[in-house]
Amino acid sequence: MKIVVIGHGMVGHKLLECLAENAAHGLDITVLCEEPRPAYDRVHLSEFFSGKTAQDLSLVEPGFFERENVRLELNAKAVSVDRAERTVTVSTGEVLAYDKLVLATGSYPFVPPVAGNERRDCFVYRTIEDLEAMKECGARSKTGTVVGGGLLGLECAKALRDMGLQTHVVEFAPRLMAVQVDDSGARVLRSKIEELGVTVHTQKNTVAIVDGENGTHRMEFADATHLDTDMIVFSAGIRPRDEIARISGLEVGARGGIVIDDSCRTSDADIYAIGECALWNGQVFGLVAPGYDMARVVAKQLLGELAGFTGADMSTKLKLMGVDVASIGDAHGKTPGSRAYQFSDERKQVYKKLVVSECGKYLLGGVMVGDAAEYGTLLQMMLNRIELPDAPEFLILPSSDGKQKPGLGVEALPEAAQICSCNNVSKGQICEAVCAGATSIGALKSATKAGSSCGGCVALVTQVMKAEMKKQGFAVNNHLCEHFPYSRQELYHMVRVERIETFGALLAKHGHGLGCDICKPAAAAILASCWNEFVLKKEHASLQDSNDYYLANIQRDGTYSVVPRMPGGEVTPDGLIAVGQVAKKYGLYTKVTGGARVDLFGARVEQLPLIWEELIAAGFESGHAYGKSVRTVKSCVGSTWCRYGVGDSVGLAIDIENRYKGLRTPHKIKFGVSGCTRECAEAQGKDIGVIATEKGWNLYVCGNGGMKPRHAELLASDLDRATLIQYIDRFLMFYIRTADRLQRTSVWRDNLEGGLEYLIDVVVRDKLQLAAELEAEMQHVVDTYECEWKKAVNDPDTRKRFRHFVNSDEADANVSFVEERGQIRPATPAERQLKRIDIPVVVETA
């Protein structure tokens, strides 16, 4: 049977993959692709601007078109179809006969009919050729504007920003992503995107594009305002490419799209349509997963099997410009009788909404902006009609009592639950693959293709895989990385028990290869936790990440911030004056941090040792703001000054910070000490919180702020100082021993078998008989403490690394700042461009 496929995009290639597995059925397939290259991944198209090549984005496996029965014609456009003769005429003049024809022509970008829309440096965002042209234009532009604030428009805005352009988004609707999110979600999304330096213009109707005064173009809007820009990219939606169907007499919808039935057949029984060009039940699907479903249906039809397309869930989860955005099912609550639960935190810029049935038992839809951690659970609840808990609002509310949210274990999912929508992989198929030996994500992708397309389901696929492995008695792989077949906890014990003191010795004895960016910093932290040697010692320096390597936090413009330690937040007037003098001398931006310290921003790498020397001379030490270590101990003024205080919170905070400073941990650690239950130091939101009572001190553990705030839990109450320090020693060393790499205390606690009661058994009741050992290990860290800044400036070999160029003492000429509110801030790409054309805006650091 001769099959002609018109179009070789993602959906067209999915059809070929499905058919290629059945080559023995005597199929002769010709594919017409009007682009100069085979199918590539349009879902991740914007990654072209962050370094990926066309080859990286290709969907075609090597040798795919070496099959005898599959022929690909590039730069070949189908110009007409003769349905009576069953032939397709190609732009090359070739005429192809077919038994069955598949239209996979996709869509084209909608360009608003605006005067001037064809001017030079006006683009659409669709093909790699479009992106190459945009890249060339971006190199000679200062500003770029995207017309369209939908999914693709925001992806395009990220691309312009990545090119260093001052970026604008112009949207006709009153909000961004109008199809996926509601007004409240769009408000949070807009706020987050504007924080990233993108200017958003909503309710703007462009009526003409003319010559600009401050840019190549001027966009004139219906409200008499305008915007000047050098580059315009239209990303205002898509339209089905149905022109070949129209000229062939096939039925098309009133608003476009090739009409298909449940078998994906058009009005001609020998012609199929799949993907964004197809109109099923009055709907065109703009996501890749429904197109893949159609491709699978047609492949089965061509092979003589029964199959039907029944629609598709349009739920989606994306990260747009680093912002999590998710939409599930009936996100706008259009179902009669539906009810909604909403949570909005505009300070942390998180918005979540659940739409439930009138009876309150079933989830119909949802919206998440800023944090979409619950997407997988909620999607499965909606798709599989799983009953909601009694209080469904707690599925999206942040925890305030230390308890875990109600969740959905993968065991509760039915075997038919679709885990990967792109490749139509069910839970049952994943479990079957695990039983057949696919016990790693790579093996599962090969066996089932789950997680191999957009990647949004990988977390859930992993959970299903591990649950099934445990069920079948397989050992669940918790290896740190490919170089060490051990968990972080196991490596910690090897280092401690065998007294391994270098990464080289650890690798030689228990690993293989050269190590990587995962195991090197993890091993460095373990070695530091155990032996507390200088992290920039020759044997350890190459293991550190950028912040630890330079003992300072690298910032967005390549400069560094310096945070001197101020134990408990206490600092003398002379100390404050000294910090101010250093900041003034080196032209640094100063800000009081959330941990009640002063942060100095804008230091170049060669300035760091000079700044440290002056701070050390004034009595300061490293604040370890750059390390996975004990950072800050926040305190209120306590009983010393406050009329409500019942305990000396400042004195205790200083003692605690001085005891644990320099301690390296799996994740950063923050303390809080409050002088009374009014809790001004917010101790119950910290990894370790201490609150004064009339009888002593209450100790709280495993709280945190961050993306998923968690209330700390009471470990012990009414403690004297000595016992309090004992318990903190034990808690910290037990956490260091048993936590995974980069695991916060809150996550560690949630995964700790036995929960809080087990932690109390270990720390307070000494059930494991480890108390003395843990306390001794902590005392070693306390006794061997050295200020890393002081060590660095006094060691000539270490000091040599603090230069921008290996073979020169020259400073980085590209670092530039702009004055704002009496201080400096990093110059934007546009402001740096102004500097290059001699407009005196930028303050140089050199």
Side-chain angles (χ1 to χ4, degrees), residues 423-449:
N423 296 294
N424 193 29
V425 183
S426 68
K427 175 189 171 183
Q429 290 172 300
I430 292 173
C431 293
E432 285 178 15
V434 169
C435 292
T439 55
S440 69
I441 288 298
L444 263 182
K445 285 182 177 180
S446 298
T448 67
K449 296 198 174 178

Coordinates of all heavy atoms in Angstrom, one line a residue, residues 423-449:
N423 N 3.0 10.4 24.9 CA 3.2 9.1 24.3 C 2.2 8.0 24.7 O 2.4 6.8 24.5 CB 4.6 8.6 24.6 CG 5.6 9.5 24.0 OD1 5.8 9.6 22.7 ND2 6.4 10.2 24.8
N424 N 1.1 8.5 25.4 CA 0.0 7.6 25.7 C 0.5 6.4 26.5 O 0.1 5.2 26.2 CB -0.8 7.2 24.5 CG -2.1 6.5 24.9 OD1 -2.7 6.9 25.9 ND2 -2.6 5.6 24.0
V425 N 1.2 6.6 27.6 CA 1.7 5.5 28.4 C 1.0 5.5 29.7 O 0.9 6.5 30.4 CB 3.2 5.7 28.7 CG1 3.8 4.5 29.4 CG2 4.0 5.9 27.3
S426 N 0.4 4.3 30.0 CA -0.3 4.2 31.3 C 0.5 3.7 32.4 O 1.7 3.2 32.2 CB -1.5 3.2 31.0 OG -0.9 1.9 30.9
K427 N 0.0 3.8 33.6 CA 0.7 3.2 34.8 C 0.9 1.7 34.6 O 2.0 1.2 34.9 CB -0.2 3.5 36.0 CG 0.4 2.8 37.3 CD -0.5 2.9 38.5 CE 0.0 2.0 39.6 NZ -1.0 2.0 40.8
G428 N 0.0 1.0 34.0 CA 0.1 -0.4 33.8 C 1.3 -0.7 32.9 O 2.0 -1.7 33.1
Q429 N 1.4 0.0 31.8 CA 2.6 -0.2 30.9 C 3.9 0.0 31.6 O 4.9 -0.7 31.3 CB 2.4 0.7 29.7 CG 1.2 0.3 28.8 CD 1.0 1.4 27.7 OE1 0.7 2.5 28.0 NE2 1.1 0.9 26.4
I430 N 4.0 1.1 32.4 CA 5.2 1.3 33.1 C 5.5 0.2 34.1 O 6.7 -0.3 34.2 CB 5.1 2.7 33.9 CG1 5.1 3.8 32.9 CG2 6.3 2.9 34.8 CD1 4.8 5.2 33.5
C431 N 4.5 -0.3 34.8 CA 4.7 -1.4 35.7 C 5.2 -2.7 35.0 O 6.0 -3.4 35.5 CB 3.4 -1.6 36.5 SG 3.0 -0.3 37.7
E432 N 4.6 -2.9 33.8 CA 5.0 -4.1 33.0 C 6.4 -3.9 32.6 O 7.2 -4.9 32.6 CB 4.1 -4.2 31.8 CG 2.7 -4.7 32.1 CD 1.8 -4.7 30.8 OE1 2.4 -4.6 29.7 OE2 0.6 -4.9 30.9
A433 N 6.9 -2.7 32.2 CA 8.2 -2.5 31.8 C 9.2 -2.7 32.9 O 10.3 -3.3 32.8 CB 8.4 -1.1 31.2
V434 N 8.8 -2.3 34.1 CA 9.6 -2.5 35.3 C 9.8 -3.9 35.6 O 10.9 -4.4 35.9 CB 9.0 -1.7 36.5 CG1 9.8 -2.1 37.8 CG2 9.1 -0.2 36.4
C435 N 8.7 -4.7 35.5 CA 8.8 -6.1 35.8 C 9.7 -6.8 34.7 O 10.2 -7.9 35.0 CB 7.4 -6.7 35.7 SG 6.3 -6.2 37.1
A436 N 9.7 -6.2 33.5 CA 10.6 -6.8 32.5 C 12.0 -6.4 32.6 O 12.8 -6.8 31.7 CB 10.0 -6.5 31.1
G437 N 12.3 -5.6 33.6 CA 13.7 -5.2 33.8 C 14.1 -3.8 33.6 O 15.3 -3.4 33.8
A438 N 13.2 -2.9 33.2 CA 13.4 -1.5 33.0 C 13.4 -0.8 34.4 O 12.4 -0.3 34.8 CB 12.4 -0.9 32.1
T439 N 14.5 -0.8 35.1 CA 14.6 -0.2 36.4 C 15.4 1.1 36.6 O 15.9 1.4 37.6 CB 15.2 -1.3 37.4 OG1 16.4 -1.7 36.9 CG2 14.2 -2.5 37.5
S440 N 15.4 1.8 35.5 CA 16.0 3.2 35.5 C 15.2 4.0 34.6 O 14.5 3.5 33.7 CB 17.5 3.2 35.1 OG 17.6 2.9 33.7
I441 N 15.2 5.3 34.8 CA 14.4 6.2 33.9 C 14.9 6.1 32.4 O 14.0 6.1 31.5 CB 14.6 7.7 34.4 CG1 13.8 7.9 35.7 CG2 14.0 8.7 33.3 CD1 12.3 7.6 35.6
G442 N 16.2 6.0 32.2 CA 16.6 5.8 30.8 C 16.1 4.5 30.2 O 15.6 4.5 29.1
A443 N 16.1 3.4 31.0 CA 15.6 2.2 30.4 C 14.1 2.3 30.2 O 13.5 1.8 29.2 CB 15.9 1.0 31.4
L444 N 13.3 3.0 31.1 CA 11.9 3.1 30.9 C 11.6 4.0 29.7 O 10.6 3.7 29.0 CB 11.3 3.8 32.2 CG 10.7 2.9 33.2 CD1 10.1 3.7 34.3 CD2 9.6 2.0 32.6
K445 N 12.3 5.0 29.5 CA 12.1 5.8 28.3 C 12.3 5.0 27.0 O 11.5 5.1 26.1 CB 13.1 7.0 28.3 CG 12.7 8.1 29.3 CD 13.7 9.3 29.1 CE 13.3 10.4 30.1 NZ 14.2 11.6 30.0
S446 N 13.3 4.2 27.0 CA 13.5 3.3 25.9 C 12.4 2.3 25.7 O 12.0 2.0 24.5 CB 14.9 2.6 26.0 OG 15.9 3.5 26.0
A447 N 12.0 1.7 26.8 CA 11.0 0.7 26.7 C 9.6 1.2 26.4 O 8.8 0.5 25.7 CB 11.0 -0.1 28.0
T448 N 9.2 2.3 27.0 CA 7.8 2.8 26.9 C 7.7 4.2 26.2 O 6.6 4.6 25.9 CB 7.2 2.9 28.3 OG1 7.8 4.0 29.0 CG2 7.3 1.6 29.0
K449 N 8.8 4.9 26.1 CA 8.8 6.3 25.7 C 8.2 7.3 26.7 O 8.1 8.5 26.4 CB 8.2 6.5 24.3 CG 8.9 5.7 23.2 CD 8.6 6.2 21.8 CE 9.5 5.5 20.8 NZ 9.2 5.9 19.4

